[in-house]
Structures are given as structure tokens and as C-alpha cells.
Amino acid sequence: MKSIIPDDNIIIIMCKKVTKNLYDKYSLIGLKDIIFISDKIPDINSKNIIYYDDNVCIENGFWGMHSSIKITSWDKAFYYLKMNMLTDKYYWLIEDDCYINKLKFNQYVNNLSKYKHDVIFFGWYKTFPANKWHHWSKNNNIFSNENLHATINQILRLSPNFINKILEFQANHNRFIFHEMLIPSIGSKFKLNGLLIKDKKINISAKIEKSLINKKFNKSNKNQIIRSLNSDYIVVHPFKLWYDI
């Protein structure tokens, strides 16, 4: 499939482990510029599969983006960006349990290219203290109450300007904090230009029990799920191992 995604978009798939099925399924979507970040040693080798040992990232202060795990592919993605970011590109960060509709995703990204915002969020957006959220304590007095925000980030788009602010945070603190708090709070602190999109075709839930897959479908018939998603949705999270069907 020929990609129609504009040349200024790069897709980063953040993976627990890159397998052949995962690599093939995301590659078949037709994305022109795609990078895979593998948290664990990948099953296959390719120039666009990136792996760093945990100790390398920890020694360089690239850890802390997960709510409970010290280092994941989130941290490794930003370690990669520190050394490889192009200043004329937008970067999509997508977790590997996001189902991507290969028939619709390219066109959707292409349609969003008209927006030149520093960040595009999808899903919910919370402000402190107006919204209850059990992770607020992870702020540890880093961001002021005025700038303290939270978003769901299984898929988002960042500009180089925004990425540089995240890297500045890492340089100042020699670590990160939970990305669902870090990213929107940085956006607020530096008054970066953001866009929040709520689209029924982008269905994202943080918890499996609240997910579309869990609520709507018979999980034993995954082929039926795929057929339905192809018709009605562009991105669905969480749908773990969708690429193995």
C-alpha cells in the first residue's frame, strides 16, 4: 500500500517486544516513516527497530515515564529522540496495543496535517484539582497546581519544540515522571499550542475492563472483532496482540 502520510510525519511504535507479526502488521498499514522501539530484545533485526539495554537508559537518566515500572519503551523512545530527532518532523507516539485500521489511519493522519499544533491529544484531559485522578501524587511538587494536568497518551502527536521541552525536563531532573502527567503539564507550563480531539472512531481506554473490546465483543472471536473494527474505528486501545490474529 502506498503511504499518503505527509513527509513531515514520523510514526514511533513503542513496543514491549518487537516480534515478526507485530513488525509485519504495522508495516502493512503503509506508513512511510515508521520506527519501532523495543523494550526487550527484539525477535527480528531491521534498521528501523531500535533497542537499548535498560542500564544504558538508566545510567543516562532516561527512566520514570511509566506509572509503576522503572523503565519502558516510553523512556527509550525519548532516548532515541534525543539523538535522532529531526526538527522538521512531527512525531506520532503509539503504544503497541493500539489497533490501527490500515484502511483509514493514513488518511486520518493526512487530514490532521493541516494542524500545526505542538501536541495533539486524543481522549480525556484532566486538570488539578478539579478532576479526581489517583496519580496526582506522582507530581512530587514538580509542577505548580496551576500547570498540573493529565491526559491519556496511548496515541499522540508531538512537535520537535514540545519534544525539546520534555528533553529539557529530563536534563534538569535526570529522570522523567509519569508521561500522562508530564506531557500535558509541560504543555501548560510553557504555554505550548495544543489540540484535544474527541473522535468516536478513536476509542481509547486505560483499563482493559473498560475497553471497547471487553465491553462490546465476544473476545473468543477475534476475527469478528477485526472485521467490525475495520468498519467503524481508526484506533482502538487496549487490544493486546491484535497483530497476532
Side-chain angles (χ1 to χ4, degrees):
M1 179 186 296
K2 184 178 180 181
S3 175
I4 57 174
I5 287 184
D7 288 340
D8 63 350
N9 284 256
I10 293 178
I11 312 296
I12 294 181
I13 308 295
M14 298 176 295
C15 312
K16 186 172 183 179
K17 182 180 183 180
V18 176
T19 64
K20 186 177 186 305
N21 281 348
L22 182 154
Y23 184 85
D24 289 348
K25 285 291 178 66
Y26 277 108
S27 297
L28 283 172
I29 294 169
L31 306 172
K32 181 177 180 181
D33 292 305
I34 182 169
I35 302 294
F36 296 85
I37 307 292
S38 191
D39 189 20
K40 297 183 179 180
I41 297 174
D43 286 349
I44 60 175
N45 294 316
S46 177
K47 64 181 181 180
N48 64 336
I49 298 175
I50 309 299
Y51 166 76
Y52 304 111
D53 184 84
D54 286 1
N55 290 329
V56 171
C57 293
I58 291 171
E59 288 169 4
N60 285 279
F62 281 76
W63 59 276
M65 273 200 157
H66 193 273
S67 61
S68 59
I69 302 171
K70 185 168 186 176
I71 183 166
T72 68
S73 53
W74 269 96
D75 307 283
K76 296 178 181 185
F78 281 91
Y79 189 62
Y80 169 83
L81 287 168
K82 179 183 179 181
M83 297 178 288
N84 297 280
M85 186 178 67
L86 301 173
T87 58
D88 60 343
K89 305 290 185 180
Y90 288 99
Y91 287 85
W92 288 80
L93 300 181
I94 304 174
E95 294 184 354
D96 71 349
D97 53 351
C98 283
Y99 156 81
I100 302 293
N101 187 326
K102 69 179 182 180
L103 302 176
K104 298 180 179 181
F105 184 72
N106 282 340
Q107 185 62 58
Y108 193 73
V109 172
N110 186 55
N111 291 342
L112 292 179
S113 64
K114 62 187 176 185
Y115 297 112
K116 305 304 179 183
H117 297 71
D118 284 307
V119 59
I120 298 180
F121 295 113
F122 301 87
W124 55 254
Y125 188 103
K126 300 179 185 294
T127 60
F128 180 86
N131 301 108
K132 292 183 178 180
W133 194 50
H134 59 286
H135 291 302
W136 288 130
S137 61
K138 291 180 171 62
N139 178 43
N140 292 321
N141 298 315
I142 293 172
F143 292 102
S144 68
N145 289 351
E146 178 185 1
N147 291 324
L148 189 55
H149 301 286
T151 50
I152 190 166
N153 294 337
Q154 276 72 29
I155 176 171
L156 75 163
R157 194 195 77 178
L158 296 173
S159 72
N161 182 40
F162 204 120
I163 292 168
N164 278 329
K165 292 299 183 185
I166 295 172
L167 294 174
E168 286 176 13
F169 179 96
Q170 183 279 325
N172 291 332
H173 296 272
N174 199 37
R175 62 161 296 172
F176 295 112
I177 60 172
F178 186 25
H179 65 84
E180 291 190 351
M181 177 187 300
L182 173 66
I183 295 175
S185 299
I186 283 178
S188 176
K189 179 178 180 179
F190 294 102
K191 296 179 171 52
L192 299 176
N193 191 10
L195 176 66
L196 175 64
I197 293 179
K198 297 200 175 210
D199 189 328
K200 291 181 179 179
K201 294 181 180 180
I202 308 290
N203 190 283
I204 303 172
S205 172
K207 296 183 178 181
I208 293 176
E209 60 268 23
K210 294 183 178 180
S211 71
L212 171 77
I213 303 302
N214 188 64
K215 288 183 173 182
K216 187 173 181 180
F217 296 104
N218 175 1
K219 294 186 291 297
S220 65
N221 190 348
K222 292 185 176 180
N223 285 314
Q224 184 265 334
I225 295 176
I226 290 289
R227 287 194 297 271
S228 179
L229 296 185
N230 281 340
S231 173
D232 298 327
Y233 296 93
I234 299 170
V235 178
V236 175
H237 174 277
F239 191 179
K240 293 185 181 298
L241 303 179
W242 69 271
Y243 41 80
D244 286 338
I245 297 174

